[in-house]
Amino acid sequence: MALDSTDRKLLAALQRDGRASMQALSQLVNLSARATLNRVRRLEADGHIEGYRAVLARASVGEQIGVFAEIALKDQRRAIVTCFEQRMRATPEVLACYVISGRYDYLVRIACRDLAQYHALINGWFDDVTLGIEKIVTNTELQTIKEFTGFPLR
């Protein structure tokens, strides 16, 4: 179903604050709280809203380093790709994993308590021949300028 301007306003507001009350949202879009709730439920049912979550303050979960790893696989056989992607999904330190174009096959965002933990993690990946990793290029996050996990709505 196509999104109208009211749907887009609701989605933008919910990206900023997933705990916004129906009353607050209804005032934003000039609808009754009941009509707003029905719209939000429809947006959920139609798959426009995949879920709600809490965004944690990094400092509150302990010092962590952020690493972006560019990873190239030795080959693209389905068994290798499947094994690699399953490992990325199962590794708690992996915050995000993207298939990319260019010199590398994947861009992986990782959070570790320190570089020693990161090195242990990737050394374990290299040692596991079923993952088929050829090369990892590490880029350590020095400072976050902007981070937004939603999407721009125009």
Side-chain angles (χ1 to χ4, degrees):
M1 178 173 206
L3 298 174
D4 64 18
S5 63
T6 301
D7 292 335
R8 290 181 185 283
K9 283 181 186 175
L10 285 171
L11 290 172
L14 287 168
Q15 281 189 126
R16 286 189 305 275
D17 180 6
R19 292 184 57 174
S21 70
M22 285 304 134
Q23 185 63 40
L25 291 171
S26 68
Q27 290 173 357
L28 176 72
V29 295
N30 297 316
L31 292 175
S32 70
R34 183 51 148 173
T36 301
L37 176 61
N38 289 340
R39 279 208 183 225
V40 170
R41 286 184 176 160
R42 180 182 48 80
L43 290 166
E44 292 169 347
D46 289 350
H48 297 290
I49 299 173
E50 292 183 346
Y52 300 89
R53 65 188 176 94
V55 178
L56 304 180
R58 181 183 254 180
S60 72
V61 293
E63 286 298 313
Q64 303 227 347
I65 61 160
V67 175
F68 293 90
E70 296 169 299
I71 300 177
L73 300 183
K74 292 176 184 171
D75 63 57
Q76 299 298 314
R77 285 181 289 171
R78 189 79 231 142
I80 298 283
V81 168
T82 299
C83 187
F84 175 83
E85 290 177 2
Q86 286 175 343
R87 176 68 70 83
M88 294 304 104
R89 286 185 193 98
T91 303
E93 293 87 358
V94 172
L95 304 179
C97 179
Y98 306 98
V99 176
I100 59 173
S101 62
R103 297 169 77 183
Y104 296 92
D105 301 308
Y106 295 91
L107 177 64
V108 182
R109 183 173 179 217
I110 302 166
C112 292
R113 69 182 166 270
D114 53 33
L115 283 175
Q117 182 191 13
Y118 173 70
H119 283 286
L121 180 71
I122 64 168
N123 286 338
W125 291 350
F126 274 123
D127 290 343
D128 185 344
V129 295
T130 65
L131 297 178
I133 295 175
E134 178 180 356
K135 184 176 185 179
I136 299 177
V137 174
T138 299
N139 298 286
T140 304
E141 177 186 329
L142 300 177
Q143 181 183 11
T144 301
I145 305 301
K146 178 182 179 182
E147 184 170 63
F148 179 63
T149 59
F151 295 97
L153 295 170
R154 293 178 177 84

